[in-house]
Amino acid sequence: MNLDWSVVWHNAGALAEGTELTVALAVLTMAIAVPGGIVLALMRLSGSRLLSGASASFVELFRNLPLILVIYTAYYVMPISLGLTFSPFTTGLVALALNVSAYNGETFRAGIGSIRKGQSEAAFALGMSRWQAMREVVLPQAARRVLPVLASTWVSLFKDTSLVSVIAVGELAYTAMRIRSQTFRVLEMLTAMAAIYWALGYPQAKLVDWLHRRLGVSE
Amino acid sequence: MSADHHRPSGAPPVLVYRNVRKLFGDFVALDDVSMEVHREQVVCLIGPSGSGKSTLLRCTNGLELIDGGEIRLDGEKLPADWDGMRRVRQRMGMVFQNFELFPHRTTLGNVAIGPLTVLRMTRAAAEARAMALLDKVGLADKRSSFPAELSGGQQQRVAIARALAMEPTVMLFDEPTSALDPETIGEVLNVMKRLAEEGMTMIVVTHEMAFARRVADWVVVFERGAVIEQGPPAQIFDAPLVGRTHEFLSHLGWAG
Amino acid sequence: MEFDFSPVIDSWRFLLGGLGVTLALSALTMLCSLVLGGAVGLARCYGPAWLRWPLVFYIDSMRAVPVLVVLVWSYFALPIVTGIVLPPFWAALVALSLHIAAYVAEIVRAGVGSVRPGQTRAAFALGMSRAQAIRQVILPQALVRMLPAFGSILSITIKDTAIAAVIAVPEYMKQSQTLAGESFRPIEVFLVAMAVYFIILFPVTRAVDMVYVRLAHLGRS
């Protein structure tokens, strides 16, 4: 077993770029999936059977599919059905956003549902519309409950970005494995990849624990 | 506490309930309820739990929609749809048994939220109005506190101020003191008494019989969704015409 | 867009084989994770203090690192370090079990922690030893609380087996990929794959939801 760890330092720039892409992917996905989740939750909680059913179906669908399959399917279906060519990055982003929106939809639904009915009634009694009551009274309170769960979802998302490597998106996993193929330094590169994910993920997981403790629901 | 009861002046009533029916599935919550509320009157609704008093209140401001009969506000039928009721709700204030203050806003924020959000007043104007009302209920010094820091009685007084901020024509009270410790009930009833003396039209669902006896102009007795008796407090409390009214009051220890 | 499902129908045996591997890998992973995770979780709660730190490190590390990375490392890097070459299926079993056992351990810890301390005190007051109290009083109560979470773990396990396609385990995802490449009908193949996974997973998530609801009325004892 002869190891050459210098390959990691030599490729530090590429690995850093891969990491940047990982972070960008996660951030963009959440930027879409948080409003997406709120919309899905509001649809589910609306009186309309059509909207409620559509939302429930969407959420059930993505809860019950492996993300890697969604990624592959998006890769093949999107160009043909929409007639445009998308970059792997966009495809990966779409797959991730659909998946995380579904989970967030459940999270927001539970959060909003946990706010006492009396609170919205008090808002209505003042003459607020349904939307005003949601915006001024319910959502601000639900946000506090929802935050720890969103944080856990973020950590999962961060790890799941590694799956878009299968459609050649240049994030961290893809970059590390590409360098492995080029340099044949299997153990070094794979260990470096694991170590970088660990270094990024470990503090995030600890932060989530802290959030759960700080904002834990005790009502 | 003053015997200065407001009598109907001959002007048409503010609220008219005619043959109101409300069902929850098979359960008849309101059965053919008819009554009137006149300007500047205090009407108290009394009766056993589950007899429909709160339901009638909630139908008045559209939190529930009625299934039969009609309710008229200043001669006009209440809209049958939820959104139509929104404008009507701005003319009525409601105070809840559980206060339902918004925990994420300060006392001042709670009182100002109606004028700010619904009446679209400027922040300065809304807060000025809110301060005046907080002063009126005796909580001006608590304007920056959050509801969690206040006692039950204080929270309910803030809730009254919040409802008054919309300058309603009618105030609806749904068992305002039922969730309070005995020591704090008095401070809330005093605020309500002063409101009555100033001429606010009020409908109060309550178990506080002494309050009803002294402050109400008209008392309506409910049982199982129907009105079994209504009249001036002297009649209801001292010489009820209906046997079951007498039974209900004596169960509460009311010597009558 | 016209569909042609004939390549899928023609290769049903091939795909069925993949499905078998998916189910086998899922079942074995669940078994290994429950055993390993249960042991780690209990050791974390009741074991000696010096054991706690390495175990917590293991658990938190598995929360930090993606499954894909663990899978790839187990298949490609582990042979270099240990000299043992594992066939894809077994490498996947090792990787997935290690990863998921960490979550099981956390569930065990939460479950045990949710039993009121008064219960333990009552057990001791009756003269039970520590081991007896754990076995007779705490674990039975904790187990009921842990059930819905275990159901979620089953769902996650089945979904994670699909990632094993990356190290050429011939489970359903991999077989679909192969077929998609050979038949030039990727949409049909993957749509069927989505249907297959949905049909397997939907009952599991439904059952978990129902268990959560039925346990909710148990409340906090």
Side-chain angles (χ1 to χ4, degrees), chain C:
Chain C
M1 194 162 63
E2 43 173 271
F3 291 108
D4 174 21
F5 285 92
S6 55
V8 180
I9 301 171
D10 291 340
S11 305
W12 71 270
R13 268 201 201 84
F14 180 67
L15 291 175
L16 195 62
L19 185 58
V21 175
T22 292
L23 294 173
L25 184 56
S26 303
L28 282 173
T29 301
M30 268 304 274
L31 195 61
C32 295
S33 311
L34 285 173
V35 169
L36 177 61
V40 170
L42 288 174
R44 168 103 194 270
C45 293
Y46 299 116
W50 60 264
L51 198 54
R52 236 157 267 191
W53 294 116
L55 289 180
V56 172
F57 181 80
Y58 154 68
I59 294 172
D60 286 340
S61 299
M62 285 299 160
R63 285 170 69 199
V65 176
V67 183
L68 176 72
V69 172
V70 180
L71 272 166
V72 167
W73 201 93
S74 304
Y75 185 58
F76 293 109
L78 193 61
I80 300 179
V81 174
T82 61
I84 313 170
V85 178
L86 288 171
F89 182 91
W90 300 102
L93 179 61
V94 167
L96 288 174
S97 301
L98 275 175
H99 188 90
I100 292 171
Y103 290 103
V104 174
E106 276 295 276
I107 292 171
V108 168
R109 186 176 72 89
V112 166
S114 74
V115 179
R116 260 184 335 167
Q119 294 285 299
T120 319
R121 288 199 287 266
F124 290 157
L126 285 170
M128 287 192 199
S129 73
R130 194 148 178 261
Q132 285 173 325
I134 293 171
R135 215 177 36 226
Q136 312 267 30
V137 173
I138 300 181
L139 279 187
Q141 295 186 52
L143 238 91
V144 172
R145 307 246 174 87
M146 297 192 272
L147 274 172
F150 284 151
S152 298
I153 293 286
L154 177 59
S155 178
I156 292 171
T157 302
I158 298 173
K159 286 189 259 185
D160 279 357
T161 59
I163 307 177
V166 167
I167 59 170
V169 175
E171 44 69 60
Y172 193 83
M173 182 72 230
K174 180 82 182 91
Q175 306 301 68
S176 293
Q177 245 186 295
T178 308
L179 187 60
E182 285 173 359
S183 68
F184 297 102
R185 291 255 147 221
I187 298 182
E188 288 85 336
V189 172
F190 286 128
L191 280 179
V192 170
M194 289 195 359
V196 167
Y197 275 107
F198 188 85
I199 292 171
I200 302 174
L201 286 165
F202 187 72
V204 176
T205 27
R206 261 275 156 271
V208 171
D209 285 343
M210 284 197 312
V211 175
Y212 263 119
V213 167
R214 290 192 67 210
L215 286 187
H217 81 81
L218 270 178
R220 316 234 96 221
S221 82

Side-chain angles (χ1 to χ4, degrees), chain B residues 113-143:
Chain B
I113 194 173
L116 208 50
T117 312
V118 181
L119 300 178
R120 301 197 185 286
M121 290 170 71
T122 65
R123 181 167 287 278
E127 287 186 357
R129 183 186 283 196
M131 269 314 296
L133 285 167
L134 278 177
D135 204 32
K136 183 174 157 135
V137 301
L139 288 170
D141 58 327
K142 296 282 182 194
R143 68 179 176 277

